[in-house]
Every structure is written in structure tokens, then in C-alpha cells.
Amino acid sequence: PASSSTSAIIGIYVLGTGVSNMGIYNNTVYLNASSTGANFGTAGIYLSSSPQNIESMNNIVVNTSVASGTGYTTALRLGSTSLLNYASTSNNNDFYAGTPGPVNFIYYDGTNADPLLSSFKARVFPRESQSMTENPPFLSTATPMNLHINPATPTQVESAGLVVALPGISTDYDNNPRYPNSGYPVNALYPPIAPDLGADEFGGIPLDLTPPVITYAPLLNTSSLTARTLVATITDMRGVPTSGNGLPRVAWKKFYNGTWAYVTGISLGGTQYSFNFGGGVATNDSIYYYVLAQDSWTNPNVGTFPIVGAGGFSASPPAATSHPTNPFKYKIIQGICGTFNVGAGQVYTTLTTAIADLSGKDLTCPVTLLLTDNDYPLEAYPIIIPQIAGASAVNTLTIKPAPGKTPAFITSYLGVTPNYWSQITLNGAQYVIIDGSNSGGTDRSLTFQNTAGSGFAAAIGLYNNGTIGASNIVIKNCMLQAHKEAVFNAQGIVLYSITGNAGYRNVVINNNSVNSAKFGIAVAGIPTNKASNIQVTNNTIGSTLDANSIMLQGITMSSADSVLIEGNEIIGPVNGNAVGPQAVFGMFIGSGSTNFKVRKNNIHDWNCTANGAIGIYYNAEASSVNEISNNVIHTIKSVGFDVAGIFIVTAQGRVDKVTNHTRQEDYESIKYTLDQGHGHHVAIGNV
């Protein structure tokens, strides 16, 4: 009662590195504290910045504490502005922090604060789309406290949860079965349709105040002057009308100051609806739009997407007198099609200007940027390739040298977190081909070199633009270099996510030379949205020349699914000059790597005088079918530290094939060891 800590009382606190894949389900947290201290703050749930993939679902978190000084009363608090550790599936929670105000927040992360439910949902979307804010009718919040729910009072927490199919969660605090298990508490007038929130399954009176969840992929700019079709997925526990006056609608207008018009959607069956709108436009027109929908509750709840700023709702048909502050928008732009030269005296003088122009146009057929110079000293880095309108499996964007040319893009560009931009940055780009051959063959005639000596430095990077990860990308026949002495991360090619989202898919990295870096090729999604369908094939990674060596890891992978790594030559620091005290790995397969094949790679000359050296390291995952086969691994060296050809660490993982893996050059014998302790360890070619 005399604390001056801004984190004095916390209901559930998740802290510490190494904590991952945790679920917080069906808890009831009630805080009601005050202090005579100068600064006093509290939080119902506090997730620090270290744990990974924490899922919160079906919880009641009520914090009516009184803050003082620099303290805040918060229902949900995160330890950083990144949502990376907060699972995208977190949903169906009741977060209440008293009357919204300058110190009473549903959400706070040390920088951003959301007193209102609408702004909180918009910030963390798609998380918490079905969550609510209510101080539910507890039987007693006085001593002796009784946090069971009064079944005679209507409440939003009745039938507002999701089924969590995990042991122990099928029953509640009192060992009553939870819906849908037989024997759960039932109110005959209001049969449950889902589990209740919180620790108490109580069979009460539902009060639905939550509108439907609306999701759709925003329309990109286009050169088409005809009406467009938007398909939205609209869900609600009570259902969404599929006919009649309650059907969802799209509101749209030309120009920011235009008048809103409405188009009624067509049910496509299930939870999908289509909307056809936007006709009668001209080039350079901007079209603004959003979707409205109501549920099938007795008194329908109406919502929009986007949601921030919308209000004054009415039903049948769904409408709003206050429109979203930032509705979605697309623009009628010019189309572009064909092959364009890039170089001195050409259509585009630099790749920077070419990409900038394409970013504002619509690809109406395949577009090729033909590099006609050998040197490009006037580029402005990073060169950011965004998601370009019209890009598709047919309408691709290709960047390649003109016949006989050997273009080189050289810079000392230092990326800065959280953007982590690379020299060439594919920021949510789709259907891009970077082909370094100047003959249509397999010659490596295009060079990207980033010589930055510290911080984040990569030659080519694939990133998520906040909505979509760079996907359907081909990088082949290129020379890629970073800087091996970089203090933190220097990579040849990186698929990486610092701020979350990830979701890189359908990426081919073939026949490139990658050297002079700490990491050769890095493939990393996030646990809730893995990189998938990635092919890393026939690349030469590293060099026997010390000046061009890979210093720590040839290929590193984590949170990736369905990855093929085949036919690569992966060469380490022959002279053992690794950066810092870290161990070196020809290939490092980290957590979350599933359903992969590592085949026919030649991994050699990984030498470390400061720590261990391992050809292939694999942190195995449970319920995953993987293959490590027909790899040649040799000349793995260290002085006084662990050395292994293949090192597998697994608690419950599964490796279906580990075959034909080493060449006995540096070992008197090859040993298999198995430790049946806390985890299982298999070291192959271990000395």
C-alpha cells in the first residue's frame, strides 16, 4: 500500500528469455489496489519483450486500481512496441481498466497507450478482434472475494469464448465441464453456444455487444477504369445475415471530399461476401472505401473495417454516421508493359528511378528492367521494391543484365532497426525475378555488394510491409557480398522479420555466389507465420579466400516450413578467423523449422579457433517429417571445443532420414551418441 513502483502489482507476468509457445487461457484476474507512494502502476497481464509466441485467450482481466504519479492502470501491458511475442491468434478476452482516460488503458507498451477498445483492436489486429471491455458481474469483489459470475445478470462474457482443446481446460475452476463437454452449466432460456470467458463456466444470460469481424485484402492501385470486386470474410459467433436488409455493405466515394455511396454485398456462402463498386472513374481518381456489417443478435451490433473513427451505427441496413478516420484507398494509375533499359541515356538512368516509377504504375504484362551499364554509382540506397499493382504469376517484374553486361551495385549502406532495410529491399514485393545472367544461362554477371562494416547490413533482403511478406520471388545467378567484419548482422540474402508478420512464401534462391559476410543466407519467419516453400539450391556460399569467407553461419533457418536446401557448396572460415567468441556452423537449423529437406550439400572448411565448429546443427521439432541426406561434410575443425559433422538436439523431434552424411577425412572414427536425459542429442561425425 506504500509502493512507488510503476509495476507494483501484476496479475500474470511472463518474463525471461527461452520462454516460448505459452498459452494463457480462461483465467480471471481482478486487481483493485491503491498506494500512498508517489508513483504507482498496475497491470492485469504483463508480457515482457523476451518471451516468444504467447497466446492469450478467453481471459477476464479487470483492473480498477488507482494509479498515481507516473504510474498507469493497465489491463494488458507489453514490454515493447513490437507485437512479435504476442501470438496473432490471441483473441476473445475481456480487458477492462476502469473508465478510459489519461491513466486508464486497455493496452500499454511503454510508448503507445489505448484507453479505447476500438484503437486497441486496430493496433493489434488480427489479434483481439472478438475481444471486449466489461466489468463483469462478479458475485463479490469485497472480502471475502468471490469472482464467480452472477448468472442472473446479463454479461458479455457468457458464451464469448473459443474452445481450447488442451488437457485441463475442459473443466473450470470448480471442475464443472466447459462447453461443449457434457454436463456444463446451462441456462434453459439461453443455451450456451461457446465456452464462457474466465475461470468460471456459469450458464448465464448473454449480452452481445461485439460486432462482426471483417477482414479483406485491400485493393491495390489499378489502371482499370471498370468496377472492381472486393471479397471480404465476415464472421460472428451469432452469425451474419446472408440475405435481406441486414446484408453487409461497402461504402465508397471518389475523392476525399466526395459523397459516400453504398453497395450491398452478395453472400458467396460460408463467411464470404463480394462487393462490386468503383465504376465511372478516370485516371488519377482516388477511391476511398470501407465495409460495414451487422450480426444476427436480437439487437444487431454493427461494425466496420477499418474501425478507428467509425460510430453512430444503425442496423438493417448497416450504416454509420461517423466514417472511419482512415478508410482504405486505391488510385487509378497508368499501366506499364514491356522491356525498359536502365542506364546512362536510357529510359531510366538508375534502378532507383525505375523502381520509383514502377511503384506508381500497374503492371499490365510482364515488365523487364534491362541493366545496360556495368557500374551504377548514382543509386540511392536502399532501393526498396514494394508490392506493385498488377504483379502476378503472369505479370512479373524481372531485373537482369543486358547481353554481355556485368552490372555492379556497390554501397556501404547500414540498415537501422526496426526496418532492417537491405541494400536491395523487397518490402512485401510480389512476383519479382532478379536474374544475374547476361546470356540467359547460369553465368553470374550481376553483383550486389554492401560493404557496411557495422550494424545491420545485407545485400538483398525480403521483408514484410506490415500486411504481406515478400513472396513469389526468384533470386538467381547473382554475386552477393556483405561485410564479414560487421559488428552485428551482415548477410548475403536475408528473409527476416524484426517487427513481426513475416509470411514469406514461394521463394527460390538458386545458383548465386554469396560471400564476405557473417551469415550467408538467412531464412526466418515467426512462429505464428512461418516462411514457407523456400528453395535454396546450387549456391556457392563462402570462399577459401579469407577476404571473402563466411564468418559464422553459411545457411541459417528458423520458423520455416517446407524448405529445400540442396546442392549448395558451403565453405567456412578456412583460417578460423571467426568474428567474436561464437561457434561456427555450416548450416544452423533453429527452432520452428519443419518439413524440410537438406540434401546433397557439400559443407567443408569450417574452422574456429575461438569456439566450436559444426557442419549441420539441427534443433529438432516435434511432429515434423524432415530429411538430412547425402550431404558431404568434411574439414570441420576447432581447438579445444566441440566439433561435429551433424549435431541434432531434440526433445520430441523426428528426423526421418540422416544418411550418407560425412566423409572421413578428419576423424579416426565416427561416433553416434544418445543422451536420454532432458532432451535427446545425436552427434554424427563427433570427435
Side-chain angles (χ1 to χ4, degrees):
S3 172
S4 289
S5 170
T6 56
S7 297
I9 298 177
I10 298 169
I12 298 175
Y13 193 5
V14 183
L15 172 69
T17 56
V19 178
S20 61
N21 302 316
M22 174 178 283
I24 303 174
Y25 307 117
N26 284 97
N27 301 283
T28 297
V29 176
Y30 179 80
L31 304 181
N32 183 13
S34 60
S35 174
T36 59
N39 302 302
F40 180 70
T42 56
I45 294 179
Y46 194 147
L47 307 181
S48 75
S49 59
S50 299
Q52 297 292 306
N53 196 30
I54 309 302
E55 182 180 64
S56 173
M57 190 179 294
N58 297 353
N59 300 289
I60 295 175
V61 181
V62 175
N63 187 359
T64 60
S65 301
V66 179
S68 64
T70 58
Y72 301 105
T73 297
T74 305
L76 173 65
R77 180 166 180 172
L78 268 59
S80 75
T81 57
S82 171
L83 294 169
L84 183 62
N85 66 336
Y86 196 43
S88 62
T89 50
S90 294
N91 211 338
N92 295 72
N93 296 292
D94 176 18
F95 291 123
Y96 183 81
T99 302
V103 296
N104 294 80
F105 305 143
I106 291 175
Y107 169 90
Y108 180 58
D109 59 22
T111 301
N112 304 297
D114 292 315
L116 300 177
L117 183 66
S118 59
S119 59
F120 165 61
K121 286 186 174 183
R123 182 182 306 281
V124 302
F125 183 85
R127 307 161 186 84
E128 312 296 358
S129 58
Q130 284 286 283
S131 292
M132 63 197 65
T133 180
E134 175 191 85
N135 190 358
F138 296 122
L139 287 179
S140 175
T141 55
T143 304
M145 189 171 292
N146 186 345
L147 297 184
H148 289 82
I149 305 296
N150 186 343
T153 303
T155 173
Q156 295 183 70
V157 303
E158 167 61 41
S159 292
L162 295 173
V163 175
V164 180
L166 291 173
I169 303 180
S170 59
T171 57
D172 75 349
Y173 175 83
D174 304 304
N175 289 323
N176 293 317
R178 288 195 182 278
Y179 177 95
N181 304 293
S182 61
Y184 55 85
V186 174
N187 183 317
L189 295 177
Y190 304 97
I193 63 171
D196 299 328
L197 301 192
D200 181 24
E201 187 81 9
F202 58 96
I205 303 173
L207 176 63
D208 188 352
L209 300 179
T210 305
V213 177
I214 306 168
T215 60
Y216 49 85
L219 298 173
L220 299 179
N221 295 338
T222 182
S223 59
S224 173
L225 303 181
T226 61
R228 306 185 70 183
T229 298
L230 176 73
V231 176
T233 299
I234 305 176
T235 59
D236 190 273
M237 296 183 67
R238 305 286 172 178
V240 177
T242 57
S243 62
N245 290 334
L247 275 167
R249 299 197 299 170
V250 66
W252 73 281
K253 63 180 180 179
K254 286 194 295 184
F255 315 117
Y256 185 79
N257 294 323
T259 301
W260 291 101
Y262 296 87
V263 172
T264 300
I266 298 173
S267 173
L268 301 179
T271 59
Q272 289 196 314
Y273 298 79
S274 69
F275 308 87
N276 190 257
F277 67 99
V281 295
T283 301
N284 293 324
D285 284 352
S286 292
I287 308 302
Y288 297 82
Y289 67 96
Y290 68 95
V291 172
L292 307 98
Q294 66 186 63
D295 62 19
S296 297
W297 180 239
T298 307
N299 297 309
N301 299 288
V302 178
T304 65
F305 184 60
I307 62 176
V308 175
F313 298 119
S314 58
S316 301
T321 57
S322 297
H323 305 283
T325 306
N326 294 302
F328 287 107
K329 180 184 77 169
Y330 66 87
K331 187 175 181 179
I332 308 301
I333 58 177
Q334 294 180 352
I336 189 168
C337 173
T339 298
F340 302 90
N341 291 341
V342 179
Q346 303 296 334
V347 175
Y348 301 111
T349 57
T350 64
L351 185 58
T352 302
T353 56
I355 295 301
D357 185 58
L358 291 181
S359 299
K361 292 184 177 177
D362 181 24
L363 305 188
T364 58
C365 81
V367 171
T368 298
L369 297 178
L370 209 57
L371 305 172
T372 58
D373 289 350
N374 289 332
D375 298 302
Y376 286 83
L378 301 179
E379 302 292 341
Y381 296 101
I383 300 174
I384 300 175
I385 305 176
Q387 184 180 10
I388 298 175
S392 68
V394 174
N395 297 344
T396 55
L397 168 62
T398 300
I399 301 170
K400 61 180 301 181
K405 296 296 182 178
T406 56
F409 294 80
I410 302 173
T411 184
S412 179
Y413 174 74
L414 176 62
V416 179
T417 56
N419 296 329
Y420 207 99
W421 301 131
S422 305
Q423 175 188 11
I424 306 296
T425 293
L426 300 169
N427 189 32
Q430 306 292 305
Y431 299 102
V432 174
I433 301 168
I434 300 177
D435 181 358
S437 172
N438 63 14
S439 66
T442 58
D443 57 283
R444 298 165 177 169
S445 301
L446 174 59
T447 298
F448 295 102
Q449 182 179 14
N450 190 350
T451 63
S454 63
F456 297 89
I460 297 179
L462 278 65
Y463 302 93
N464 189 298
N465 63 11
T467 302
I468 188 171
S471 298
N472 305 294
I473 306 297
V474 177
I475 302 170
K476 63 180 181 179
N477 306 324
C478 294
M479 299 286 292
L480 303 167
Q481 291 185 329
H483 195 298
K484 70 173 186 175
E485 304 298 338
V487 174
F488 195 76
N489 280 340
Q491 288 123 334
I493 303 177
V494 55
L495 289 74
Y496 207 71
S497 178
I498 289 293
T499 57
N501 297 311
Y504 316 104
R505 293 174 174 84
N506 307 326
V507 178
V508 174
I509 302 171
N510 180 65
N511 191 44
N512 300 283
S513 174
V514 183
N515 60 52
S516 184
K518 290 183 71 173
F519 300 85
I521 298 175
V523 178
I526 60 174
T528 55
N529 197 357
K530 294 184 177 183
S532 63
N533 195 22
I534 312 297
Q535 297 181 36
V536 181
T537 55
N538 306 313
N539 300 282
T540 302
I541 302 170
S543 171
T544 56
L545 298 175
D546 183 67
N548 293 331
S549 62
I550 299 293
M551 300 305 294
L552 284 181
Q553 297 175 16
I555 297 176
T556 182
M557 176 171 64
S558 63
S559 293
D561 182 75
S562 299
V563 178
L564 173 66
I565 302 176
E566 183 176 83
N568 302 283
E569 183 178 15
I570 307 173
I571 310 165
V574 177
N575 296 320
N577 298 323
V579 177
Q582 301 99 320
V584 298
F585 303 87
M587 192 179 304
F588 185 95
I589 305 172
S591 61
S593 302
T594 52
N595 304 310
F596 63 80
K597 297 181 185 297
V598 174
R599 304 187 302 203
K600 301 179 182 179
N601 299 285
N602 183 2
I603 303 173
H604 61 92
D605 288 295
W606 285 86
N607 183 10
C608 184
T609 58
N611 209 308
I614 295 174
I616 298 176
Y617 176 93
Y618 172 38
N619 186 359
E621 293 290 311
S623 303
S624 177
V625 180
N626 306 302
E627 176 184 335
I628 301 175
S629 66
N630 294 303
N631 299 283
V632 174
I633 304 173
H634 67 91
T635 321
I636 311 297
K637 299 180 180 181
S638 178
V639 178
F641 296 95
D642 292 335
V643 177
I646 302 177
F647 191 85
I648 301 171
V649 179
T650 173
Q652 297 177 335
R654 175 177 167 190
V655 182
D656 290 282
K657 295 182 181 179
V658 182
T659 62
N660 300 354
H661 37 263
T662 61
R663 190 167 73 199
Q664 188 174 344
E665 288 192 1
D666 299 295
Y667 312 114
E668 294 181 358
S669 64
I670 297 176
K671 297 194 300 182
Y672 292 73
T673 64
L674 177 63
D675 176 9
Q676 298 283 359
H678 178 69
H680 306 293
H681 305 270
V682 181
I684 300 171
N686 184 54
V687 175

